[in-house]
Protein backbone atom coordinates (compact mmCIF):
# COMPACT_ATOMS: atom_id res chain seq x y z
CA UNK A 1 0.00 0.00 0.00
CA UNK A 2 1.53 3.31 -1.04
CA UNK A 3 0.71 6.66 0.50
CA UNK A 4 0.94 9.69 -1.71
CA UNK A 5 2.34 12.78 -0.03
CA UNK A 6 2.19 16.29 -1.40
CA UNK A 7 4.95 18.87 -1.06
CA UNK A 8 3.86 22.42 -0.19
CA UNK A 9 6.12 25.33 -1.11
CA UNK A 10 6.16 28.67 0.66
CA UNK A 11 8.00 31.95 0.03
CA UNK A 12 9.38 33.43 3.26
CA UNK A 13 9.46 37.14 2.47
CA UNK A 14 11.97 39.36 4.20
CA UNK A 15 12.15 43.05 3.23
CA UNK A 16 15.64 42.89 1.71
CA UNK A 17 16.41 39.20 1.50
CA UNK A 18 17.73 36.70 3.98
CA UNK A 19 21.29 37.98 4.07
CA UNK A 20 21.53 41.00 6.35
CA UNK A 21 23.67 42.98 3.92
CA UNK A 22 22.00 41.90 0.64
CA UNK A 23 20.44 45.34 0.26
CA UNK A 24 23.95 46.80 -0.12
CA UNK A 25 24.71 44.95 -3.37
CA UNK A 26 25.08 47.37 -6.28
CA UNK A 27 22.35 45.67 -8.35
CA UNK A 28 19.65 46.09 -5.68
CA UNK A 29 17.26 48.95 -5.01
CA UNK A 30 16.92 48.97 -1.19
CA UNK A 31 14.28 51.71 -1.11
CA UNK A 32 11.96 49.41 -3.09
CA UNK A 33 11.44 47.37 0.10
CA UNK A 34 9.69 50.41 1.56
CA UNK A 35 6.87 50.15 -0.98
CA UNK A 36 3.75 48.00 -1.14
CA UNK A 37 4.49 47.22 -4.79
CA UNK A 38 7.67 45.36 -3.76
CA UNK A 39 5.65 42.86 -1.72
CA UNK A 40 2.88 42.63 -4.32
CA UNK A 41 5.47 41.80 -6.97
CA UNK A 42 7.01 39.07 -4.81
CA UNK A 43 3.60 37.54 -4.04
CA UNK A 44 2.55 37.64 -7.70
CA UNK A 45 5.81 35.98 -8.73
CA UNK A 46 5.26 33.25 -6.12
CA UNK A 47 1.68 32.84 -7.33
CA UNK A 48 2.80 32.50 -10.98
CA UNK A 49 5.34 29.93 -9.81
CA UNK A 50 2.48 27.93 -8.24
CA UNK A 51 3.79 28.24 -4.69
CA UNK A 52 1.20 27.53 -2.01
CA UNK A 53 1.76 30.59 0.15
CA UNK A 54 3.85 33.59 1.12
CA UNK A 55 4.91 34.19 4.72
CA UNK A 56 5.76 37.35 6.65
CA UNK A 57 7.15 37.29 10.17
CA UNK A 58 6.23 40.00 12.65
CA UNK A 59 9.07 42.12 14.02
CA UNK A 60 8.73 44.32 17.07
CA UNK A 61 11.97 46.28 16.77
CA UNK A 62 15.05 46.81 14.67
CA UNK A 63 17.48 43.92 14.60
CA UNK A 64 20.58 43.91 16.75
CA UNK A 65 22.91 44.93 13.96
CA UNK A 66 21.12 47.94 12.42
CA UNK A 67 24.34 49.08 10.76
CA UNK A 68 23.84 46.32 8.16
CA UNK A 69 20.05 46.48 7.78
CA UNK A 70 18.21 49.06 5.74
CA UNK A 71 15.05 49.14 7.87
CA UNK A 72 12.64 47.20 10.00
CA UNK A 73 9.71 45.32 8.50
CA UNK A 74 6.11 46.35 8.05
CA UNK A 75 3.30 45.01 10.23
CA UNK A 76 2.44 41.75 8.45
CA UNK A 77 -1.36 41.60 8.70
CA UNK A 78 -1.83 45.05 7.23
CA UNK A 79 0.69 44.33 4.50
CA UNK A 80 -0.86 40.97 3.62
CA UNK A 81 -4.32 42.56 3.54
CA UNK A 82 -3.07 44.83 0.79
CA UNK A 83 -1.34 41.92 -1.00
CA UNK A 84 -4.61 39.95 -0.87
CA UNK A 85 -6.22 42.52 -3.14
CA UNK A 86 -3.52 41.98 -5.76
CA UNK A 87 -3.43 38.16 -5.74
CA UNK A 88 -6.07 35.47 -6.13
CA UNK A 89 -4.64 31.96 -5.73
CA UNK A 90 -1.96 32.05 -3.04
CA UNK A 91 -2.13 31.59 0.71
CA UNK A 92 -1.08 34.48 2.94
CA UNK A 93 0.57 33.58 6.26
CA UNK A 94 1.83 35.85 9.05
CA UNK A 95 2.98 35.72 12.64
CA UNK A 96 1.91 38.18 15.32
CA UNK A 97 3.65 38.92 18.57
CA UNK A 98 1.83 38.76 21.88
CA UNK A 99 4.42 41.11 23.38
CA UNK A 100 2.57 44.15 22.07
CA UNK A 101 -0.85 42.64 21.30
CA UNK A 102 -3.22 40.91 23.66
CA UNK A 103 -3.46 37.17 22.85
CA UNK A 104 -7.25 37.52 22.49
CA UNK A 105 -6.82 40.13 19.77
CA UNK A 106 -4.15 38.07 18.01
CA UNK A 107 -6.48 35.07 17.97
CA UNK A 108 -9.28 37.12 16.45
Amino acid sequence: MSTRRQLHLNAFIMPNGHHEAAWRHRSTRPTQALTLQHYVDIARTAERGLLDSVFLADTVALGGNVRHNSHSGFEPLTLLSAVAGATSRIGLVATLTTSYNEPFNVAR
Side-chain angles (χ1 to χ4, degrees):
M1 172 167 110
S2 71
T3 305
R4 187 171 182 196
R5 294 176 61 180
Q6 188 173 11
L7 179 65
H8 295 279
L9 298 175
N10 175 70
F12 181 0
I13 301 175
M14 293 189 66
N16 294 299
H18 285 269
H19 187 277
E20 68 180 18
W23 65 274
R24 297 173 61 156
H25 191 275
R26 66 181 167 272
S27 69
T28 64
R29 294 172 291 169
T31 56
Q32 183 114 5
L34 299 172
T35 68
L36 169 62
Q37 193 61 47
H38 175 71
Y39 298 92
V40 167
D41 290 344
I42 291 171
R44 285 180 174 166
T45 300
E47 188 172 49
R48 279 193 316 275
L50 302 178
L51 272 67
D52 294 297
S53 60
V54 294
F55 171 78
L56 286 169
D58 193 11
T59 56
V60 295
L62 289 172
N65 197 355
V66 295
R67 182 175 144 206
H68 299 292
N69 294 312
S70 67
H71 77 285
S72 183
F74 291 110
E75 191 278 317
L77 284 187
T78 305
L79 184 58
L80 288 180
S81 296
V83 169
T87 57
S88 61
R89 298 176 318 277
I90 193 159
L92 305 173
V93 182
T95 60
L96 291 173
T97 179
T98 55
S99 298
Y100 293 98
N101 302 293
E102 292 295 327
F104 172 80
N105 291 325
V106 169
R108 288 176 38 190

